[in-house]
Amino acid sequence: MISDEYSPYKIVHHQDRLDMLRQGRQPPPLQMHLELTSHCNQNCIYCCFRSQAHGFHTAPLNVTVPTAKILETLASARDLGVKALQLAGPGEPTLHQDFRTIITTAKEYGLEIGLITNGSMLRRHSDILSDIAWVRVSMDAANAAAHAKIHSCGEHVFGEIVAGIQELVARKGPAIVGVAWLVLQENVDSVYEGCRFYRQLGVNNIRYSSLVADVDDPSYRELCRQGHAQAKQGKTDFETEDFLVFNSIETRANMIQEALLDEFCPFKELSCHVAVDQNVYMCCTNAYSAAGKVGTIQDKTFAQLWNSPEKQRLFSRHSPRRMCPSSCWFKEKNAFINYCLKSNPQHVNFIG
């Protein structure tokens, strides 16, 4: 059964955007991915923003977006009809000095909010996070020693984050609280234990995934095999209606192998990535690359850029097969949206 949280079929609930795409029009985005800062109080060994080892472009370090620019961008999102706001890296969003003001303003503007965090500031902000849409805490471990090794921090930090998660869960707000676990050599032996530990902690879900890496490397394939097997068993033994286990380890590995992209990328029309360099990119996969850059908002509002003729022309001539990496995280979503956009798909009445 496909869960709501990670369904690739969410676009069916937005027929207005589909209609605009069918008409050849460029719709306002449904979702905004907004970066607040590149400052971080951890230094994860797998961080794609600080190393090009995993095929991503590095972000500028120790940069914080001015609060005025963030609030201006939120106003643009409201005015354009953006529905969802995702706050994430390259740094730790909760370290922004005006994080609480940003969250409060986004709520006032009617934006659904999702947060990806390392969890270090959860105890300080649990009161304003318990009623957002979701919080996903990057843990990657079920014990202090492994967490410290992977996140390059003191072993005491693990206990502090766990206490923050417990406090957030105890508030019993509508926010879905999840844990992210990237399978590595340092933690693959405890994937199964992660299911047990985080179910006991009271979170709503745990998601296992793998790095974007060389699929022909036998060690990588073995890592994915081991992680997948443990996550599968953990799902069997520990999943309940209140605790879901998402095992996307092999899905990510298979995604890397499937090189051919669709010629049209609808995802870039429906989502946007606003980075700490105050440039807008087509998606997180293409962030900080020249090929993925839509334009800058340093001297204009986000709404002005999104509605500009320059952006319209750029999107019109964009070709994923020529301009995007083959390891596209949104390949499955794009395939489904492109099917929905077909004017005369074959055999639609044969649903059985």
Side-chain angles (χ1 to χ4, degrees), residues 124-146:
R124 179 178 298 184
H125 298 306
S126 66
D127 59 325
I128 63 168
L129 295 177
S130 63
D131 64 344
I132 67 173
W134 54 266
V135 178
R136 188 191 312 154
V137 188
S138 299
M139 294 299 288
D140 312 302
N143 62 75

Side-chain angles (χ1 to χ4, degrees), residues 179-281:
V179 166
W181 184 303
L182 192 67
V183 175
L184 308 162
Q185 294 292 351
E186 292 80 2
N187 63 18
V188 66
D189 291 338
S190 56
V191 165
Y192 178 83
E193 178 58 26
C195 293
R196 183 201 310 272
F197 181 83
Y198 288 106
R199 190 182 82 165
Q200 292 176 344
L201 205 59
V203 303
N204 299 105
N205 63 66
I206 184 169
R207 186 182 77 164
Y208 294 101
S209 58
S210 59
L211 284 169
V212 175
D214 182 3
V215 295
D216 294 324
D217 182 351
S219 63
Y220 173 73
R221 299 301 302 186
E222 177 60 18
L223 177 72
C224 290
R225 187 198 65 78
Q226 291 181 27
H228 176 78
Q230 286 202 40
K232 182 178 180 181
Q233 190 61 51
K235 182 180 181 72
T236 298
D237 293 349
F238 298 111
E239 186 170 78
T240 67
E241 289 185 359
D242 299 318
F243 176 72
L244 301 179
V245 178
F246 300 110
N247 181 5
S248 62
I249 297 169
E250 289 198 340
T251 301
R252 180 68 59 81
N254 292 336
M255 175 199 75
I256 301 169
Q257 287 184 305
E258 298 167 1
L260 186 63
L261 301 177
D262 288 328
E263 185 53 37
F264 174 62
C265 171
F267 188 83
K268 74 179 188 305
E269 316 271 347
L270 302 168
S271 183
C272 59
H273 190 104
V274 184
V276 294
D277 59 4
Q278 297 186 48
N279 289 325
V280 176
Y281 297 92

Side-chain angles (χ1 to χ4, degrees), residues 64-207:
T64 294
V65 183
T67 302
K69 175 57 69 172
I70 293 172
L71 298 182
E72 173 193 277
T73 302
L74 293 179
S76 281
R78 174 200 60 195
D79 295 343
L80 286 170
V82 174
K83 297 181 181 296
L85 177 71
Q86 179 174 313
L87 303 176
E92 170 52 40
T94 59
L95 293 180
H96 194 284
Q97 68 271 18
D98 290 316
F99 179 75
R100 296 179 70 86
T101 298
I102 293 164
I103 292 293
T104 301
T105 302
K107 289 178 181 179
E108 291 174 353
Y109 289 169
L111 296 168
E112 286 190 274
I113 306 168
L115 171 68
I116 299 176
T117 175
N118 64 24
S120 59
M121 305 291 283
L122 282 179
R123 298 189 76 176
R124 179 178 298 184
H125 298 306
S126 66
D127 59 325
I128 63 168
L129 295 177
S130 63
D131 64 344
I132 67 173
W134 54 266
V135 178
R136 188 191 312 154
V137 188
S138 299
M139 294 299 288
D140 312 302
N143 62 75
H147 181 270
K149 185 174 183 179
I150 294 168
H151 289 251
S152 302
C153 59
E155 291 194 10
H156 68 282
V157 174
F158 180 77
E160 294 171 357
I161 297 172
V162 167
I165 294 173
Q166 289 174 315
E167 183 172 320
L168 181 59
V169 169
R171 289 184 177 275
K172 298 186 182 299
I176 299 296
V177 182
V179 166
W181 184 303
L182 192 67
V183 175
L184 308 162
Q185 294 292 351
E186 292 80 2
N187 63 18
V188 66
D189 291 338
S190 56
V191 165
Y192 178 83
E193 178 58 26
C195 293
R196 183 201 310 272
F197 181 83
Y198 288 106
R199 190 182 82 165
Q200 292 176 344
L201 205 59
V203 303
N204 299 105
N205 63 66
I206 184 169
R207 186 182 77 164

Side-chain angles (χ1 to χ4, degrees), residues 1-10 235 244-246:
M1 183 178 68
I2 298 173
S3 65
D4 291 351
E5 289 90 339
Y6 295 107
S7 170
Y9 309 127
K10 295 177 182 179
K235 182 180 181 72
L244 301 179
V245 178
F246 300 110

